[in-house]
DNA sequence: ATAGGCCTGACG
DNA sequence: CGTCAGGCCTAT
């Protein structure tokens, strides 16, 4: 479900509401979501810890604790984090419960169970290969044009490259399509045939679309909600994503939808070459 | 580069 | 019933 902008919204809320909070106990209702260490060590390692702050790498939430460990949470496709009060009925598909010392509970809810969590040592991400191999942060000031060029070496299609988290972190199906449309690049183009001007446009497009999405609270296409249950509204500003058959906002041509590597891909056949 | 698998739910 | 879904891993 959530890509970089949505995870960033959640990160900000968690940082605000969780900073300084102490974890009294953890309930693991669906053990296979705990990737590292084993669920028992995970629970024991978290009990009594205080949250120092909440960061993000790509689509991973990094909850920094007071003992040089990080509680990592990936929301997968349909995961969400919700604050709740004990006693109130928990939503369906609640798989993790973090009970805080102040009485609040933070629930991890995930119908499709593609999410994951781990308790890692600061500075050793190897137990979570996806996090360990993550590419550069596109909104970081160090993500220069040169960094994008470096990320786009090799030979594959540009859409596949943008979805590859080890090239650039945090871009998923929505923002790959939206960035390519803004840059005027056809999703099936190969990396080695992109001109320097096109890579420049893409660099700008990626950063622009991610920033705008964050400003608008993210995209709520099916079920994304933040920790307060609020939807974003960037879906109303998508130019191509899920707009097959509708006119391109730039040129009026009909938006096409094609299947690429099993993913729906939306583009304007006129603006994107 | 693609298909399939992990899961559940919404929609036609 | 079938199709679709914002992620990501594995195998071919």
């Amino acid at each position: 479900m959530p890509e970089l902008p949505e995870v960033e919204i959640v990160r900000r809320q968690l940082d605000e509401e969780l900073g300084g909070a102490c974890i009294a106990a953890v309930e693991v209702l669906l053990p296979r979501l705990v990737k590292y260490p084993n669920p028992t060590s995970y629970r024991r390692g978290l009990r009594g810890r205080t949250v120092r702050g909440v960061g993000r790498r790509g689509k991973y939430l990094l909850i920094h604790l007071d003992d040089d460990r990080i509680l990592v949470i990936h929301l997968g496709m349909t995961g969400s984090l919700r604050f709740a009060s004990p006693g109130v009925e928990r939503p369906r598909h609640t798989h993790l419960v973090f009970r805080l010392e102040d009485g609040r509970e933070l629930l991890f809810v995930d119908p499709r169970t593609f999410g994951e969590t781990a308790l890692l040592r600061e500075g050793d991400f190897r137990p979570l290969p996806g996090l360990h191999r993550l590419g550069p942060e596109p909104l970081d000031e160090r993500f220069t044009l040169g960094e994008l060029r470096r990320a786009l070496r090799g030979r594959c299609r540009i859409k596949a490259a943008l979805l590859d988290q080890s090239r650039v972190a945090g871009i998923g199906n929505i923002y790959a399509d939206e960035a390519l449309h803004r840059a005027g690049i056809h999703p099936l183009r190969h990396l080695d045939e992109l001109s320097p001007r096109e890579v420049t446009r893409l660099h700008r497009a990626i950063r622009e679309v991610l920033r705008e999405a964050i400003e608008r609270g993210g995209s709520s296409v099916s079920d994304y909600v933040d920790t307060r249950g609020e939807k974003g509204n960037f879906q109303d500003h998508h130019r191509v994503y899920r707009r097959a058959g509708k006119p391109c906002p730039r040129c009026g041509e009909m938006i096409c939808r094609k299947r690429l590597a099993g993913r729906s891909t939306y583009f304007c056949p006129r603006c994107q070459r």
Side-chain angles (χ1 to χ4, degrees):
Chain A
M1 91 207 228
E3 305 182 26
L4 186 152
E6 293 76 32
V7 178
E8 175 61 18
I9 309 283
V10 173
R11 181 201 72 75
R12 291 178 186 181
Q13 296 180 346
L14 286 182
D15 192 52
E16 198 161 307
E17 304 191 35
L18 217 50
C22 181
I23 301 170
V26 179
E27 292 174 49
V28 177
L29 305 170
L30 187 59
R32 66 181 162 78
L33 296 191
V34 180
K35 304 299 173 181
Y36 186 89
N38 59 67
T40 306
S41 310
Y42 175 89
R43 286 178 39 234
R44 288 192 184 140
L46 285 170
R47 190 178 317 144
R49 301 273 61 86
T50 296
V51 175
R52 284 196 291 127
V54 182
R56 179 188 58 73
R57 272 287 279 137
K59 302 170 192 172
Y60 291 86
L61 289 163
L62 306 180
I63 302 174
H64 296 268
L65 306 173
D66 58 356
D67 65 346
D68 294 343
R69 283 177 197 256
I70 305 179
L71 167 57
V72 181
I73 297 179
H74 191 296
L75 301 174
M77 204 110 116
T78 52
S80 59
L81 288 164
R82 298 296 306 274
F83 283 97
S85 308
V88 178
E89 195 185 347
R90 291 170 183 166
R92 258 164 84 79
H93 309 295
T94 297
H95 305 312
L96 297 170
V97 180
F98 302 94
R99 301 216 317 262
L100 306 180
E101 234 163 37
D102 60 22
R104 290 178 301 163
E105 290 181 345
L106 181 64
L107 311 181
F108 179 71
V109 182
D110 183 10
R112 283 178 78 181
T113 69
F114 291 176
E116 57 185 39
T117 184
L119 182 58
L120 302 184
R121 213 175 287 282
E122 195 108 37
D124 184 7
F125 289 169
R126 286 174 301 179
L128 275 188
L131 174 59
H132 183 62
R133 299 197 332 253
L134 213 50
E137 266 319 302
L139 290 183
D140 193 296
E141 57 178 18
R142 290 168 293 185
F143 187 71
T144 57
L145 178 55
E147 276 294 298
L148 179 61
R149 270 198 216 108
R150 215 162 310 150
L152 298 184
R153 285 182 306 197
R155 263 196 59 43
C156 71
R157 289 173 166 155
I158 183 59
K159 165 92 188 246
L162 291 179
L163 292 177
D164 180 348
Q165 302 297 298
S166 69
R167 291 178 181 269
V168 180
I171 300 174
N173 209 31
I174 295 177
Y175 298 105
D177 284 0
E178 291 296 317
L180 287 172
H181 178 263
R182 287 176 184 227
I185 299 172
H186 195 289
L188 295 180
R189 294 277 301 286
H190 285 267
L191 295 183
D192 51 15
E193 60 188 38
L194 294 181
S195 72
R197 291 189 56 212
E198 288 176 320
V199 179
T200 303
R201 292 207 305 264
L202 184 56
H203 178 255
R204 183 192 188 83
I206 289 170
R207 292 168 59 95
E208 239 178 43
V209 75
L210 295 176
R211 277 192 192 293
E212 283 178 31
I214 292 170
E215 267 171 41
R216 297 193 176 276
S219 300
S220 293
V221 169
S222 56
D223 44 17
Y224 163 73
V225 289
D226 64 19
T227 62
R228 302 176 185 123
E230 304 272 339
K231 291 174 181 257
N233 73 311
F234 194 66
Q235 65 279 6
D236 303 332
H237 299 267
H238 290 171
R239 299 182 189 175
V240 288
Y241 186 76
R242 280 214 174 175
R243 297 193 66 247
K246 295 184 177 157
C248 168
R250 183 166 168 275
C251 77
E253 184 68 78
M254 274 228 293
I255 303 295
C256 286
R257 175 180 157 215
K258 274 202 162 63
R259 219 151 171 91
L260 186 85
R263 316 293 305 274
S264 283
T265 298
Y266 300 86
F267 62 99
C268 169
R270 187 140 128 215
C271 295
Q272 297 176 254
R273 299 264 170 203

